[in-house]
Amino acid sequence: MDRPILKFTPRDIALLRPANEAERLAALHDLKILNTAPETQFDAICRTAQVLFGTPIALISLLDEDRQWFKARCGLSDDGTSRDVAFCNHTIQADAVLVVEDARDDARFSANPLVTGKPGIRFYAGAPLILRSGIRVGSLCIIDTEPRRFTTEQADQLRDLAVVVTANLRVHQDRTEHRRVAATLADTDGALRDAQTRYASLADALPQMVWTVSPRDRVTAYRNASFRAYYGEAGEPVERRLSRNHPDDVDRMSRAWEAAVLKRQALELEGRLRRHDGDYRWHRIVMTPLRRGGEVVEWLGTALDIDHIIAAQNELKETGDLLRLAQEAAEAGIWEWDMRTDVVRLSSMSARMHNLPVPNGQDAFEIPLADWKAQVHPDDLPEVWTEVKRAIADRSTYSCEFRIANPAVPAEPRWMQSFGRMLDDGAGEPARCVGLQIDITDRKASEARIAYVASHDDLTGLPNRTVFHATLERLLAELGNGSGQGALLCLDLDRFKSVNDTLGHHAGDGLLRVVADRLRATVGDDDVIARLGGDEFAIILRGPTGLESARTLAQAVITSIGQPIHLGSQVVTIGASVGIAVAPEHGLEVDILHRHADLALYRAKAAGRNSFQVYTEGMDQALENRNKLEFDMHLAHRKEEFQLHYQPVVAMADGQVRGFEALMRWPHPTRGMVSPAEFIPIAEETGLVVPLGAWALEQACSFAASWPIEARIAVNVSAVQFQQPGLEAAVRHALAVSGLAADRLELEITESLMIQDSEAVVACLHRLRSIGVRIALDDFGTGYSSLSYLRRFPFDKIKIDRSFVREIDDPDAQVIVRAVVSIGERLGTAITAEGVETEDQLALVRQTGCTEVQGFLFGKPMPAEQALAFMQEQIPRKAA
C-alpha cells in the first residue's frame, strides 16, 4: 500500500518557527559564524559523531531565517539547504533529541525532497545546539540512508557531543568579540592621535569661545566668533548665560563663579553649556581676572569645546573595561619579556596561571627568565625554546603549547597556549617580546576525550574497529618482513541476542561489559582486544608459537565467558564461538586474514557453538555454497517456490486420522528437493524463517478449513519466531483469514525454546492457548530434556522423538517412553510417537501406552492434493 503523502505549505513551515524567532536569530547572528571557513574543532566533532554512531552523514547545522547552513559536514557535499526542507527546523522546537527512525513513515518528512530524492534520508537524529534557555540556533545531527533504531544511551551521547559544539560556538564568539574589541581600541588610539593634531591646529586659530565680563553688571563686553556662533545671541547677562548650563551643573558652576568673584581669583572648571540649538556640550572654562591698579576691572573668559575628549575618555574607559572583561572571560594573561635584562613581567592573571602570588595592590609580577623556564614541563621546554629562538631569528610571532605544574593535582599539569611578538630596540636588535597566554587545560581534556571516543568503544572501553584495523595492519607489515608470527581470533557470543531481547538492552549492555572485563583478564597485556560491533569481538595475538598460542587462548576465552553472569537479580549463561586465522600462513593482508578468521568463526558456530575452529582452505568453498543456498532461498520465497506437505497422525485406539502435520518442502529448480535439515537452519540464522513461518501458518490453516473431516493441523514454530515480534498476530491472522476454529490448530515447539527464556515463552504460550490454540511439545527427549517445564506449562500433546521409536525394542528405551506416557496421563496430555515405520514398532509403541502414532507406516508427507485424497478415499487403518 502506498504511503499517504502530506505536503507542507509555506504557512505550515512558518508555524514551525519558534515563538522567540527574532531573539533566536539575533543570538545566531551575534555568533558571527555564518558563512565562515571550516574550523578544525567543528570538523573533528562531526567526524567523531559519524564514527561513533556509524552513519554515513554527520552535520553541524545552523538555522538562519530562510536556510540551514552547515558549519561542518561529513558525507555530504552541499553546504546547506533551504529552511523549509530542513529536519533541523523541527529539532530546534525543543531541547530533546529529535529521532526519526524511518522518515518514510513520518508524516512530517515522508514527502520531503531530501527523503524522496538525494541524499535519500531514512534515519535522522538531531540534538539542538542550545546557547541558553530557549535559544536553539541549530543542531548536531546524524543521517543514514537506511532506517535504524536509536537507543536512549545513543541519544545521550549525541546530546553530549552537541554540548561540545555549543561550547565551541561560544569560544568562536568570544574570539570574534576579542578581535572586535582590539580593533575598536586601535581605532580609538588613532582617533586620539588625530584629535591631538586637530586640537593643535584649532588652538592656533583660537577655536574656543572668548569673552570679557564687567565685574559690576557682569555683562559681556566682548565675544568672539565662536561665542556668537555657539550661543547665536549677543549682549546677554552672564546670569542668563549661566542659566543655559546643564541642569546638573548649574549649582556647581554658580558656586564656583561666585567664589571666584569674591576672592578675585582665577576660575577653572569643566561643565556642559547649552548651545543655541538646545544641545549640551562639555567645555573647559577658564575665567581670569584682569586688574588695573590692583582692582579687577574685567574678567576674561575662555571656553574650549572638549565634548569629544570627554566622550573619547568615556569610550576608552568602556573599551578598556570590555577588553579586560574579554581577557578574564577567555582567561587570558598578558606577559612581557625584556631580553636585555631577562626579566619576565606577568599580569596578575598570568601570575595566577603560573601559581605565583601577586602582592596586594599590584596588577603585575616580575620574575627572572630562569624561574619562568622552571615552571614549564621539562618535556615541553625544548620545543618551546626552539620556537622562541625561531621567532627571534625571524623577527616574527610565535605560538606554542606547553604544560606547567599544578600543585593542586601534581599528576595532572595544566596546559597553556602562549602567543608572542618580537619587538626590536629601534636599531633592528630584538629587545622585548610581548604576548598573552590562555589556559587550554579543558580544551586539551576535551580533545583527549574526543580522540578516546573516536578510537574506543564507549560501552566497553575496548579499542574499536578503527584501532583494530590499524593495529592489525601494523602487525602484518612487521610479519611481512619475516618478524615472528601472529594470529587473529574473531569472537561471537552465543545466546547474546536472546538475553538482549528478553531482559532488555540495559542487561545486554551489562553483559557486554562483563565479557569485556573477562577478555581483559584472559588476554595478555601485549595483545589487543577490540569490539567490532554488537556482540562481535576480535583479539590480535602476537606470540612465538602462533597457532598453538591461539588454540590455548581460544579455549581459555570460551571457558571464561561460559561462566555464569549475574545481571542484577538474573543469572544468565552464554557461550562463545571463536574463529582463528594465523599469520603469515593464512594471509598478510588485513581483509584477507579477517575474512579467513570470520570463515572459521562461522564454521565454529555451525559445529554447535561454544567451540573454536582454525581456518582451512576448504572453508571458502563451503561458505560460498552456503551463501548461494541463502540467495536461492530468498529468491524461492519471492517466487513462492516453497511447498507444504502433510503427514497424517493416527489414533492408536481406532486407527482413525486425528490430524496432519504440515512440513515445509523446497523443490529447487536445479538441485531437486532440498532437505529441511539443510535449509531450515539457514532460514533461522537469517531471520527468513519469520516470514516463511507466517506463510506456512496461513497456508496450513486455509487448507485445513477445506477438509471433509474435523481433523487438526499441526504447524512447527521455530524459536526464532518467538524471539521476533508478530508471532501471535500471525496466528490470529491465519485463523481469521481461513475461518479455521482455533482448537483445530496445533503449534509444535521444541524443548530448546523452553530453556531460552522460559518466563517470556510460557507467557506467550498461555496467551495463544487462551484463544483455543493447542500447544504440542515436539521431539521430546533430544538434548535439553527437563521435566520442570512440563509442570510449568500444560501442553496438549507431547511428541516422543523418532530416535526413541527407532530403538523401541531396547528395554531402556521402553522404560523411558512408558515414563513419559505416565507423566502425560497424570497431566492429561496426549502422547504421540513419531517415526513409526514397521508393524513391530507399532506393537511395541502400543504396549507403552502412546495415544497417537505418526510415521511412514501410516503415510509419508504428501502434497495437499494427495492428503485430501487420503482423507476422502482411504479407509482408516486399524491399529489393532
Side-chain angles (χ1 to χ4, degrees), residues 748-766:
E748 295 189 3
I749 67 171
T750 61
E751 295 180 70
S752 59
L753 172 65
M754 298 299 293
I755 68 166
Q756 292 186 7
D757 179 28
S758 57
E759 293 292 341
V761 170
V762 169
C764 179
L765 293 177
H766 274 295

Side-chain angles (χ1 to χ4, degrees), residues 486-639:
L488 173 61
L489 286 69
C490 285
L491 166 68
D492 190 74
L493 301 182
D494 301 332
R495 297 186 295 281
F496 167 74
K497 188 176 186 303
S498 175
V499 174
N500 203 50
D501 291 345
T502 56
L503 299 184
H505 293 296
H506 180 73
D509 289 347
L511 186 148
L512 290 174
R513 283 191 286 266
V514 172
V515 168
D517 290 339
R518 292 184 178 181
L519 289 175
R520 291 188 187 95
T522 306
V523 178
D525 295 337
D526 295 333
D527 304 321
V528 176
I529 314 166
R531 183 186 177 206
L532 305 184
D535 62 340
E536 300 177 45
F537 297 83
I539 302 170
I540 301 174
L541 174 65
R542 179 169 185 168
T545 56
L547 180 57
E548 182 180 345
S549 297
R551 288 176 179 271
T552 302
L553 179 59
Q555 187 57 57
V557 166
I558 292 171
T559 302
S560 175
I561 292 177
Q563 300 301 312
I565 298 174
H566 294 265
L567 299 175
S569 60
Q570 300 285 336
V571 178
V572 299
T573 302
I574 62 171
S577 298
V578 181
I580 302 173
V582 181
E585 290 88 338
H586 298 154
L588 282 172
E589 295 183 17
V590 172
D591 292 341
I592 292 177
L593 192 67
H594 193 186
R595 181 172 179 272
H596 288 166
D598 271 340
L599 287 171
L601 172 60
Y602 173 76
R603 179 60 62 86
K605 293 167 68 174
R609 303 177 182 269
N610 213 33
S611 63
F612 69 85
Q613 289 286 328
V614 180
Y615 169 76
T616 60
E617 291 185 4
M619 290 181 180
D620 288 297
Q621 185 60 46
L623 180 63
E624 184 176 344
N625 294 339
R626 183 263 182 207
N627 290 339
K628 178 63 168 61
L629 189 62
E630 179 184 342
F631 175 80
D632 288 349
M633 285 182 63
H634 284 279
L635 187 62
H637 175 52
R638 289 197 298 271
K639 292 184 175 182

